[in-house]
Amino acid sequence: MANRDSDKMTQYAVELEDTVHWDQEMSYGQYLDLERLLACQQPNSGQHDEMLFIVIHQVSELWLKQCLHEAHAAAEHIRENKLKPAFKMLSRIARIQEQMIHVWEVLVTMTPADYTCFRDSLGQSSGFQSYQYRELEFLLGNKNPRMVEVHRSHRQHYERLTQVLHEPSIYDISLQLLKRRGFDIPDSYVKRDWSQPYQPCAEVEQAWGEIYRHTDEHWDLYELAEKLVDTEYNFQKWRFSHMKTVERIIGYKRGTGGTAGVSYLAKALDLQFFPELWSVRTAM
Ligand code: HEM
């Protein structure tokens, strides 16, 4: 048995020696720009747990970047009536969201005592200032012009967020699709000031009701509705887990960003991206 194992190891070493491009020009580290990426974790306090805090935020921001990449492309595909590729992208977003939700399980290993050791070194920085998170909220339909103001001092982020605020959300684009398919969507829902918060509408709920009652006739729109619900459902799970993690770590202290903390996060649970996709369930 031992001989067979050592034979395998020798074979492995020989194969490696013969096949690997030991002197390749483009290396893994170069392609991924790893030196820069791995230089971005710079704890301020020297406390052990600050590294985890930084890594978890950075991992979440990378996933947010990928969600934005997918969500913008999905919106564009819906606009062009290409639902199948849009579904693939929305499914990918749902998988990424699962990763982002699971991350809290790692963060809860950090106790209030661990966090208190370095909290002062964060100053006023807070996830509240995450411009990618806010862009994703805008793109999904939670429009709030006030939220752009936090970014006024950074021109690039401010302009980007202002632009997305004024563009139709993925839900607005879906309602335009419903209108093209002959559903009775009011004109004021396919052309309006997109920067203003979405107001629920009886005709929109009726349109989704029609789709849910006659799934065979409207299968792709039914599938679109469920993909959107998946996205919102996961977003809410993320919000809820964030809130409970924050409660577990800082209790009812104010946030570093200046809000009331947990009670602010609890209120965000009432926000909805696609209200009629929820109310239609009661109406059915
Ligand atoms: C110890 C860990 C954490 C604590 C204590 C914490 C605390 C808070 C608090 C109190 C707020 C409310 C705003 C404020 O006043 O600061 C907030 C907002 C936020 N946090 Fe965290 N957070 C933690 C981890 C994270 C992580 C890992 C992320 C991932 C990116 C994150 C993303 C956000 C976002 C996006 C908001 C804005 C939510 C909204 O406006 O609806 N947080 N956080």
Side-chain angles (χ1 to χ4, degrees):
M1 191 64 178
N3 267 351
R4 226 179 329 135
D5 283 349
S6 81
D7 283 354
K8 275 187 189 165
M9 282 170 70
T10 315
Q11 202 184 341
Y12 172 79
V14 169
E15 266 181 34
L16 263 191
E17 198 52 48
D18 291 350
T19 56
V20 166
H21 304 295
W22 296 106
D23 53 355
Q24 74 274 45
E25 276 171 21
M26 168 67 86
S27 78
Y28 174 82
Q30 279 171 328
Y31 177 68
L32 296 173
D33 208 353
L34 278 189
E35 274 185 22
R36 277 208 299 160
L37 182 69
L38 298 177
C40 291
Q41 297 70 43
Q42 302 286 349
N44 284 330
S45 64
Q47 297 294 329
H48 178 83
D49 283 69
E50 193 180 352
M51 181 62 92
L52 174 66
F53 186 80
I54 291 174
V55 167
I56 284 197
H57 277 86
Q58 290 183 346
V59 165
S60 304
E61 288 291 340
L62 283 175
W63 280 134
L64 281 171
K65 183 173 185 168
Q66 187 67 32
C67 283
L68 284 169
H69 183 63
E70 302 293 341
H72 277 294
E76 205 43 48
H77 279 94
I78 298 168
R79 197 196 299 276
E80 293 168 2
N81 304 309
K82 294 181 194 151
L83 293 191
K84 283 188 180 160
F87 292 161
K88 188 166 181 291
M89 290 159 187
L90 290 170
S91 299
R92 185 176 286 164
I93 290 174
R95 298 278 178 92
I96 294 171
Q97 288 175 309
E98 283 165 20
Q99 296 286 318
M100 292 180 69
I101 293 163
H102 209 63
V103 119
W104 300 117
E105 297 305 316
V106 186
L107 192 60
V108 289
T109 61
M110 199 169 73
T111 67
D114 298 331
Y115 181 62
T116 311
C117 288
F118 66 87
R119 189 179 196 234
D120 285 348
S121 65
L122 307 179
Q124 293 182 334
S125 75
S126 159
F128 186 79
Q129 298 140 11
S130 166
Y131 44 89
Q132 293 203 106
Y133 180 84
R134 217 52 83 192
E135 180 175 338
L136 189 59
E137 278 205 315
F138 288 173
L139 182 55
L140 294 176
N142 179 28
K143 297 290 181 73
N144 182 346
R146 194 81 191 110
M147 291 301 191
V148 179
E149 293 311 312
V150 182
H151 303 278
R152 208 172 251 288
S153 59
H154 194 297
R155 216 183 89 209
Q156 207 184 336
H157 302 154
Y158 182 79
E159 285 177 1
R160 174 77 185 150
L161 277 178
T162 304
Q163 182 193 332
V164 179
L165 179 75
H166 285 86
E167 287 172 352
S169 71
I170 200 163
Y171 193 54
D172 298 320
I173 291 171
S174 301
L175 298 186
Q176 291 172 339
L177 170 68
L178 262 55
K179 177 103 170 168
R180 289 199 295 283
R181 294 284 191 89
F183 288 93
D184 180 22
I185 306 294
D187 290 342
S188 58
Y189 278 75
V190 290
K191 198 171 186 323
R192 64 183 180 90
D193 177 356
W194 305 116
S195 70
Q196 293 308 305
Y198 181 88
Q199 300 299 333
C201 161
E203 287 91 335
V204 171
E205 187 189 288
Q206 275 163 23
W208 288 122
E210 180 71 14
I211 291 162
Y212 273 98
R213 274 186 285 273
H214 304 285
T215 53
D216 283 351
E217 278 173 52
H218 310 292
W219 192 269
D220 58 349
L221 297 177
Y222 167 52
E223 202 173 346
L224 173 63
E226 284 298 292
K227 296 276 183 222
L228 292 176
V229 169
D230 282 345
T231 310
E232 173 150 6
Y233 179 72
N234 284 337
F235 208 100
Q236 286 291 36
K237 286 210 299 200
W238 184 92
R239 279 184 176 140
F240 181 78
S241 309
H242 175 235
M243 179 195 74
K244 293 309 282 183
T245 309
V246 172
E247 184 184 18
R248 186 168 162 168
I249 298 177
I250 66 165
Y252 288 82
K253 284 205 262 299
R254 293 193 79 80
T256 45
T259 76
V262 169
S263 59
Y264 163 79
L265 298 172
K267 281 197 202 101
L269 291 172
D270 292 333
L271 298 170
Q272 283 187 323
F273 297 130
F274 320 127
E276 295 88 355
L277 286 177
W278 295 100
S279 62
V280 73
R281 286 157 154 78
T282 315
M284 283 182 68

